[in-house]
Amino acid sequence: DTGVSQNPRHKITKRGQNVTFRCDPISEHNRLYWYRQTLGQGPEFLTYFQNEAQLEKSRLLSDRFSAERPKGSFSTLEIQRTEQGDSAMYLCASSLVGQKNSPLHFGNGTRLTVT
Amino acid sequence: GQQLNQSPQSMFIQEGEDVSMNCTSSSIFNTWLWYKQDPGEGPVLLIALYKAGELTSNGRLTAQFGITRKDSFLNISASIPSDVGIYFCAGQPQGSARQLTFGSGTQLTVLP
């Protein structure tokens, strides 16, 4: 169990540019979540996948954001035309559905800074 | 937005002291989780609670799922310097089997 892995750890971009983050969940986990965390706040839910299907999206996920999990394993989160308000830590988590108790396990996040 | 009220926002304690923090919600939660987050890292799961009234320990940490299902507390006994960090409660609302709602965190500082 290598844990949830996220890349890159840090990303600095200029306003208007597109960025893409990657998440590799714990290998046998079939659910994958994306959260966003701003300074001084707890993580806020963005979206989640069960296998390759995206089953829920938060209202926080504007149409500039898109997430994919094409083969039900790793996932990508893309932000188009970044804005300064997109600056945050983007956290990925995974869990296993089917076990009675399967809490979310988080990666170390990608910190995005939009200048 | 956030639906959980977590308190206190911050705590300064002496090494060796016990600590208590809690979360309350206006709605019923099916699951309560407690996480710890260090700077620049993701939240790490400390304790998971699945039944009302459940009391669970993990070393020096003890957490309880309130009987009303609208609150939970976390106690840390005999604090040590490595307990420093931000502690988050998280709950899974009734009717939502998928997403967690997080509190705004308790920043714990342990003074030597």
Side-chain angles (χ1 to χ4, degrees):
Chain A
D1 179 358
T2 57
V4 178
S5 175
Q6 291 188 247
N7 289 288
R9 289 296 307 274
H10 303 274
K11 178 71 177 178
I12 300 174
T13 191
K14 291 187 178 175
R15 190 176 54 189
Q17 297 294 304
N18 299 345
V19 293
T20 300
F21 312 140
R22 176 178 169 128
C23 172
D24 288 89
I26 293 172
S27 57
E28 66 271 19
H29 283 187
N30 50 11
R31 278 197 183 159
L32 186 149
Y33 305 76
W34 285 99
Y35 280 76
R36 182 174 72 186
Q37 186 177 26
T38 53
L39 202 61
Q41 299 296 318
E44 294 177 292
F45 171 78
L46 292 178
T47 189
Y48 95 98
F49 294 82
Q50 181 154 327
N51 300 313
E52 65 275 8
Q54 187 173 17
L55 296 186
E56 187 170 343
K57 290 195 274 190
S58 160
R59 282 174 290 179
L60 292 176
L61 209 68
S62 78
D63 56 8
R64 296 184 296 107
F65 287 66
S66 62
E68 294 183 344
R69 195 183 183 199
K71 296 181 181 177
S73 56
F74 73 92
S75 174
T76 57
L77 177 68
E78 181 183 16
I79 309 175
Q80 295 182 324
R81 305 181 304 281
T82 52
E83 301 172 358
Q84 287 186 321
D86 296 332
S87 295
M89 173 83 91
Y90 289 85
L91 292 163
C92 176
S94 69
S95 69
L96 179 64
V97 172
Q99 277 189 346
K100 184 181 177 185
N101 302 322
S102 178
L104 272 64
H105 292 269
F106 284 85
N108 282 326
T110 294
R111 179 164 295 284
L112 173 66
T113 302
V114 181
T115 62
Chain B
Q2 303 287 347
Q3 300 175 25
L4 297 183
N5 295 313
Q6 184 172 351
S7 65
Q9 272 194 325
S10 62
M11 302 181 74
F12 291 81
I13 61 169
Q14 294 292 135
E15 185 176 353
E17 288 184 345
D18 298 344
V19 171
S20 185
M21 58 193 79
N22 70 86
C23 272
T24 59
S25 168
S26 57
S27 52
I28 289 173
F29 277 39
N30 287 339
T31 301
W32 284 96
L33 305 172
W34 286 91
Y35 289 86
K36 178 176 182 255
Q37 187 173 28
D38 292 327
E41 307 291 326
V44 174
L45 182 67
L46 299 174
I47 293 180
L49 303 160
Y50 299 99
K51 288 188 214 174
E54 182 179 353
L55 183 73
T56 297
S57 292
N58 177 8
R60 293 177 297 106
L61 278 60
T62 302
Q64 184 157 30
F65 191 144
I67 292 199
T68 64
R69 296 167 69 190
K70 293 184 178 181
D71 64 304
S72 177
F73 72 75
L74 174 72
N75 286 344
I76 305 173
S77 62
S79 57
I80 59 178
S82 62
D83 290 336
V84 165
I86 303 178
Y87 291 79
F88 289 100
C89 62
Q92 191 173 68
Q94 191 176 42
S96 170
R98 303 168 291 279
Q99 59 169 286
L100 290 180
T101 299
F102 280 79
S104 54
T106 295
Q107 170 74 62
L108 178 64
T109 302
V110 180
L111 305 170

